[in-house]
Amino acid sequence: MESTASRILKLYEENNHAELSKLLSSFDLRELSKVIRGQEVNGQSGLATLIRAVIYGSPCDSQQGEERRIKVYKNVLKTLQRELLSNAVASDIVGLLLIETDAFSEGSLVELAKFYIENIESSSGSDATAGNSHWLQLFPKLLSSISSRQKIVVDNNEIGGAEYKSCVLKQLCGVPWSAELAVHITTMLKDVEISADEMGVVLERVLLLLSQVELQKLPALVYQLLLLTTKGYKGLALEGIIAFFDKLDTKANKQNTGADSMEIEEDKINVEQLRQVEGTVALYVIFTIKQDQEPGREYIKYLKANQQTPSRILSPFNTALALSIAQIHRFEEQVLGCIKGCIIRSFRESEKQRQSEWFRELVPDDCEVTKAVLQTVRNSSQGWDHVSQGLLSLGFLLMDSYGPKGAFGSVDVPAGYHSSPSGKACKLGADVLLETFKLHNAVRGKILDEILNRLVTKAASPADHYLNLLAAVVKWGATVVIEWSQKVRGVFDCLPLLPESTGHRFLTAIQPLLKISMPLKDALMVVLRKTLFSSHMESRKMAVNGYLQILKNFQVLGSMSSSQFSQASQASQSSSSWFSQIQADVHTRSNPKANEALCLEIVSSLRRCFRQQSEIRMLLYQGLPEVVAVNTQLCCPLLELLLNQLMGYVESKPNMPPLLLTRCTTQQGEQVTCSEPLAHLLICLLQVLEKTYKVPVSDKDEDEDEDEDLKVVQSRCEDFLLSLTQRVMKCDLEDFELDKSTDFSGGTCLAVRNSLCAQLLVGVYEALMEAAFYRGSYSQENCELIVELYNCESNLLELLREKSTAGGGGKKGKAALAGKAAAAGKAASVAHFAPKSVLSLGFLSKILAGLFCDTMPANSAGLAALRGCKDLVKYLVTVTLHKLQHLNTDHRLSPTPDVFIYSSNIAKSLLAHYIAYSSISGTETDDKIEKSLLPACIEGFVSALQLVSSHYKQRIGEFLDKIGSRDSDTADDKVHRQVKHLQQAIASILTADLQESRFKEMVHILNAVAILSAELNTTDQNYIQLHRWVLRLCQEHCLDEQSLAKRLLTLLFAITSRLSSCAPVVLQLSQDIHIQLKDIDEEVDIQESNTFAMVTAKSAAPAALCVVLQQIDAMLDTTDWVIVRMHANAPTITDADASPSAQQENMEKQVCMQLGSLLNSLHELMQAAVPFGHCQELLVRTVTRMYGILTALTKYYINQYTKKQGHMCSRFEKLVRLSATHLTKQVYPMITYIQTTQSKDVQKKTEKAPTKKKKDNMVATKSRVVKENRSVPNMIFAVEQYERFLILLSKKSKVDLMEHMKLSTARDFRIDATAVQVALEEQAEVTEDEQDADEETEHVADTQPAKRQRTQQ
């Protein structure tokens, strides 16, 4: 064979074409194949020359030469498949065959194409071609040659070359590809000219291959796929890649949770390897987008198109991919905006699912957004450094969207805002940043930078969420954060400029840093010392808060004597501080001496606060008890400090009034202010004294002296308080220069000073009451002392009430005191004073427990004295109520265990008293004071329940246990037990003589039922029973008081919506409202009876009507949400999958049924004679909204017909017919009625006005009517839009939807035939009267000359 090959090569080198052709013709094709295979084995270097020689000697113009060429081509392909050749030789041969491919005839090209397809199909089951792609490099040229031929005969059929090329590609995509060949075939297809239709087939085939390729080979295949998409379908390729990796993530999650326990071991996914592959794929996508921005634009379209389906956007892989793409500046804003919008939408959707069973059934919760996003963060730890920057941007974007915004520098976060969608999104952003901080060292410094910058630059916006994040970061790793201590020190310089609350919480957050960094602590101490002397009040408050925080966190380990404190105080007066003198020796981390020196230094600095304004002193007095509760060794020096301060305002002479009230006020020019909040000082001393009794006694000999010092100070304080109480009790108001002759008018400095002194004395009485209670508890003598103190306070408040009444309206100080007089039972309102009361919540909790729950015989005598003073009991309950209300509205409240305990005890006491004295127990009281106390008791219980529900959500079960549930009950049983008590309370009120005074009680009870019902499981039988009870309450009882009707209907709708659709209830209520309000046509007489007894002529409008319209609007909003989800789901539904289509049809059916029911409800309300004003405006807006939803549903079906994805359901046609007959038909009569009522209202108000002002009143009233009725044109426009899209849908669907729809011809004006006829008749009468008058005038004129003539004669 070797000699044969040598002969062929010799003839080729001699360029002897004729002899070479003759020699090759003498060989059989099999022999020729052997010659080529022999050359492969013996010498690869001459193989390319041999093939070139064979081709040279095989002209295409002869059949034999064509056959030899085909044989050579096939042999070469097999050789290349077997990888027997080096890369250089293989490339040389491929280049040769590429040149010669165009010389093949049409039939040869067909044969070679089939050969290729057969080889690809046969190689799917073998690994022979795993790493070889040379043989596939010839296929693009082959397809190009086929496409260039005009006609090709295939199986006796003549077709075009381009058409046959498409057939070959389809055959290629139809045969199985081996996983090893997938990458090579995809790479090869890049060189093939592919049309759009062919690209779709090829892309679908490559995407199917993703599931067949091993994980480690996926990145290469995806990269080639992305390069292939330069020919088109970039968006489809990205969608396919995302969908594939989402399936892998789902499978991996099930594998980790054990859901697929029966899965074969070989099919299990290596999660670590999967994360590495996903990271590499994301990098390839970023690289592709940087080279060509078209895939990036397609990806943005994908995000926007799927904005309504969070499960697609917020999957872990797609979130990581989006955040990676967000690194490209061009797409950053759009990508992050889409992700943020999708997250907030997901939270809103979850809220709707919680509130509405109808929505929950149609739109199931298929995405746990928090879990999915945090999974992305955890996945990023597998080397996804390209995601970390995107996580940082997303986290701060979510946190920056937190509101509400402040107005004029003030920020007030409403209660419950943290549980809103925006609040949850902010919390998710904080969690993302915290997890990113933990996992990615590279971005830690930037996260801290951004947090601190926002604290400084966004001082006018809410900063609590940033401070919470900072506290969490510091708590997780203070030793890590300390590396960036210089950044924290930079904020210290801005502390004086920050709001007080922001500075306070910032200092609280960084306390762990101060414990491990002495330089940072020194820097803060210097700043606080300077700030304490600032000219701005807020800065000084911040300094006091900072000092108090340090005192709480740097505990003194040993006892501290008052002598040490006095030494520190003397040292603090010198130029250099005592702490700075010893700080060189205390640089160790937990040096007890360092903490002691630091605390003494701070306490000495705080002494300067006693010479500052009352606001600063009050802040100090409120914080010192909290300091002592943590740092107990400061009790002794602080007690002595407070006692010395208090003694400065007490007269030492026993025969003089004990209090120097005028010394507590300061006058600067004509302005008089309070300089010492004496009552707060007393309360602070009392609370610190109480803490000292809880200090454990030391067993060490060296601490005995310190314990003795503490006992001495305790004894001094007790004696002082007892002496002060006795002296105050002996004094009359005249002794304090406060009597009926005292001026409280507020017009002079003396009057203002008198008012301030009165306020101080009221506070002192309260503080002494609390001191007496803690000193003697429920002893008879002690309780009688409390009653006497209250009587003194009551007398002062009565005096102030009389002065306030006699002088008309007063100034600020007098108004506050008048409010306190009201609290004593001497006036009706107590709304303005309660937060200013100095009585502590702990004292109120204990004394109310004694008054309402204590049955111990030992305490009976003392409690009888307290209970006998009804005004005192009412006063204590009222103060408690307003303190709880203040805690509910104070967004700065940080939940503490003490507040929870006090709230629980108060709730138990108030509820017990309410049950005991209301008609629930069967022994209803006739005492007027007790009856007036019951509403305050139940309102206080509801306030405590609301406080626990808002701030201690996880402890609601413990709260119910404290107020009377059994420990063995389940969570639902505990809630249901309390609900039953409240139901009994409602029943007892209904069975008694129902008076308007008890309506307020029912409103509060229903508020409590609403709070507790949210804790019940909707599938539990107890919840169903509660729903039946509320429904029966509305149907069987005539509860037509406005506030009660609103509360009851709101509760009914809230409970019903969580259980089923509210549409039937809304329809029945609408019919009842129509019955009570009568029809707009006065000739129509409605004789039907009410379904709901609570809907009467009194409650129908505005109470019931407004609640029903608000519920209809909420249901329309939910329906609109479902329609949007239908739009989003429509493109994903395929004919091959029947279940999504069934789901879509069910959604369409339910939407049409919901809208039909709401349309019937509006049909009733539009016919009702709704009174002029807000109710009419609300009704017009709701009707406008209904037309908007109908238009949205019509657009959905237009889109379905445009994309040929579906058709109208039969219920939609019925809905259109119903809208024509029940809605549009009533629009213009309703508008006419509205205008009529407006005209009557204008005329009525004009007639009541004086004659000179009638014209001005007419103009003003008309302007107000025009302003209020801008919604009518909006409704008309909505009707026009609905009709317009109905016409368009009729054309597309070939269904006449306008059959029952009468097109309106009058928009901006209407011609009322009846009104025109009446006007014409009136005009005719006027014309006849004028004619008669003219005739009479002419007659008189004719007779007068005749009379003159007779006179002359």
Side-chain angles (χ1 to χ4, degrees), residues 61 166 179 191 218 339 371 479 604 655 657 662 704 804 838 875 901 1038 1185:
D61 52 2
S166 298
D191 300 326
L218 274 174
I339 297 296
K371 182 179 178 181
T479 55
S604 300
N655 57 346
T662 55
E704 290 182 358
S804 175
V838 298
Y875 179 80
I901 295 172
C1038 182
R1185 184 72 190 277

Coordinates of all heavy atoms in Angstrom, one line a residue, residues 61 166 179 191 218 339 371 479 604 655 657 662 704 804 838 875 901 1038 1185:
D61 N -16.3 16.5 -13.1 CA -17.1 16.4 -14.3 C -17.3 15.0 -14.7 O -18.1 14.7 -15.6 CB -16.4 17.1 -15.5 CG -14.9 16.7 -15.6 OD1 -14.5 15.8 -14.8 OD2 -14.3 17.2 -16.5
S166 N -32.9 24.5 5.3 CA -33.7 24.5 6.4 C -34.2 23.1 6.9 O -34.2 22.9 8.1 CB -35.0 25.4 6.1 OG -34.6 26.7 5.8
A179 N -24.3 14.6 24.9 CA -23.9 15.7 25.7 C -22.5 16.2 25.4 O -22.2 17.4 25.5 CB -23.9 15.2 27.2
D191 N -21.4 29.6 12.8 CA -20.9 29.9 11.4 C -21.9 29.6 10.3 O -21.6 29.7 9.1 CB -19.6 29.0 11.2 CG -18.5 29.3 12.2 OD1 -18.4 30.5 12.6 OD2 -17.8 28.4 12.5
L218 N -21.6 22.9 31.6 CA -22.7 23.9 31.3 C -22.2 25.3 31.0 O -22.7 25.9 30.1 CB -23.6 24.0 32.5 CG -24.7 22.9 32.6 CD1 -25.5 23.1 33.9 CD2 -25.7 23.1 31.4
I339 N -36.1 45.2 40.3 CA -36.0 44.3 41.4 C -36.7 44.9 42.7 O -37.5 44.2 43.4 CB -34.5 44.0 41.8 CG1 -33.9 43.3 40.6 CG2 -34.4 43.1 43.0 CD1 -34.4 41.9 40.3
K371 N -37.0 34.9 51.8 CA -36.2 33.6 51.7 C -35.4 33.6 50.4 O -34.3 33.2 50.4 CB -37.2 32.4 51.8 CG -36.4 31.1 51.8 CD -37.4 29.9 52.0 CE -36.7 28.6 51.9 NZ -37.7 27.5 52.1
T479 N -15.4 43.5 66.9 CA -14.0 43.5 66.7 C -13.7 43.7 65.2 O -12.6 44.1 64.8 CB -13.4 42.1 67.1 OG1 -14.2 41.1 66.5 CG2 -13.5 42.0 68.6
S604 N -20.1 63.4 87.6 CA -19.6 64.7 88.0 C -20.0 65.7 86.9 O -20.4 66.9 87.2 CB -18.1 64.8 88.3 OG -17.8 63.9 89.3
N655 N -41.9 75.9 110.4 CA -43.1 76.7 110.5 C -43.4 77.4 109.2 O -44.3 78.2 109.1 CB -43.0 77.7 111.6 CG -41.8 78.6 111.5 OD1 -40.9 78.3 110.7 ND2 -41.8 79.7 112.2
P657 N -44.1 77.2 104.7 CA -44.5 76.2 103.7 C -43.3 75.4 103.2 O -42.2 76.0 103.0 CB -45.1 77.1 102.6 CG -45.5 78.3 103.3 CD -44.5 78.5 104.4
T662 N -41.5 79.2 94.0 CA -41.1 80.3 93.1 C -39.6 80.2 92.7 O -39.2 80.7 91.7 CB -41.2 81.7 93.9 OG1 -40.5 81.6 95.1 CG2 -42.7 82.0 94.1
E704 N -18.2 46.3 103.6 CA -19.2 46.6 104.6 C -19.4 48.1 104.8 O -20.5 48.6 105.0 CB -18.7 45.9 105.9 CG -18.8 44.4 105.9 CD -18.4 43.8 107.2 OE1 -18.1 44.6 108.1 OE2 -18.5 42.6 107.3
S804 N -60.5 79.1 85.1 CA -60.5 78.9 83.7 C -61.9 79.2 83.1 O -62.0 79.9 82.1 CB -60.1 77.5 83.3 OG -60.2 77.3 81.9
V838 N -46.9 62.7 86.1 CA -45.7 62.2 86.5 C -45.8 60.8 87.1 O -44.9 60.1 87.5 CB -45.0 63.1 87.6 CG1 -44.6 64.4 87.0 CG2 -45.8 63.2 88.8
Y875 N -59.8 59.0 88.4 CA -58.6 59.7 88.0 C -57.4 58.8 87.6 O -56.8 59.0 86.6 CB -58.1 60.6 89.2 CG -56.9 61.4 88.9 CD1 -57.0 62.6 88.2 CD2 -55.7 61.0 89.4 CE1 -55.8 63.4 88.0 CE2 -54.5 61.8 89.2 CZ -54.6 63.0 88.5 OH -53.5 63.7 88.2
I901 N -44.9 43.9 80.9 CA -45.5 43.4 82.2 C -46.5 44.4 82.7 O -47.6 44.0 83.1 CB -44.4 43.2 83.2 CG1 -43.4 42.1 82.7 CG2 -44.9 42.9 84.5 CD1 -42.2 41.9 83.5
C1038 N -80.7 46.7 65.8 CA -80.7 48.1 65.3 C -79.7 48.9 66.0 O -80.0 49.7 66.9 CB -82.1 48.6 65.5 SG -82.3 50.3 64.8
R1185 N -64.2 54.2 39.1 CA -63.2 53.1 39.3 C -63.7 51.8 38.7 O -63.0 51.0 38.1 CB -62.9 52.9 40.8 CG -61.9 51.8 41.1 CD -60.5 52.3 40.7 NE -59.5 51.3 40.7 CZ -58.8 50.9 41.8 NH1 -59.1 51.5 43.0 NH2 -57.9 50.0 41.7

